[in-house]
Amino acid sequence: MIEWVDPVILGLGLVVAVGAFVQSSIGFGIAVVSAPFVVVLRPDLMPTSMLVCAFVLPVLQLASGPREILWRPLGWAVGARLAVTPLGVWLVASTSTDAIALAVGILILVTVIASVVVVDIRLTRGSAMGAGAISGVSGTAASIGGPFFALVLRHEPPDRLRATLAVFFIAGSTMAIGGLALAGAATWDQLLAGATWIPFVVLGHLVAGPVRRRLPATAVRRGVLVFCVVASVGVIGRTLLL
């Protein structure tokens, strides 16, 4: 059971704010940054609490920023994600929190490697559907579904990439939360934790506006990658050693 004044929940809220800042800056990242801390400190809150945040933030992004959206590739990715989401729901319902934690750590490392290694993935129907399918599993089971579609969109202008990803996150989070609820794998504590973190999501999004215009994009991105590597290694180590 969670409490509104629980220091762990509030501390995780600050991490969520950092994740919201990162996503508002580069298009994705709230779950990549926040999920490792949630799985270490409160694994019982995964993945629904993070999915609530992953729904709220893109709504804020679309409400306050450009809405130049690539609808056709988005439709391909969302369709594939919808088809595969039941597999992600099944994984959450049938596996332990330690297994989900390990999956989170591995997915973050894969994300970092894919971000560092120059992989020239072009935007096609196949690549969009492939990214959507992977996200249907990873986004539902571990709340991390954005990096794969982001790689497909990486050659698009930043505003178009962020807006398209935002709609993808809204659709994907809705599918995942709905599927988990139908399977009985989404608890009230998870939903309440996600609702508790909404003000922190808003804070991170608001701070990102003026700050991202002053910080070099390359420096921010490198810092995030280092941060994610440390966090993911910590999660993997904790899962395997305990």
Side-chain angles (χ1 to χ4, degrees), residues 142-167:
S143 72
I144 299 175
F148 311 103
F149 195 33
L151 283 175
V152 173
L153 299 175
R154 65 203 255 352
H155 294 293
E156 299 298 323
D159 286 343
R160 186 180 300 166
L161 182 147
R162 281 191 288 264
T164 304
L165 281 177
V167 180

Side-chain angles (χ1 to χ4, degrees), residues 17 20-21 24-25 57 60-61 64 198-213:
F21 167 81
S24 294
S25 301
L57 179 55
L60 294 174
Q61 289 176 286
S64 60
I198 289 176
F200 295 95
V201 172
V202 175
L203 174 64
H205 175 68
L206 292 177
V207 171
V211 171
R212 71 174 175 237
R213 289 191 289 268

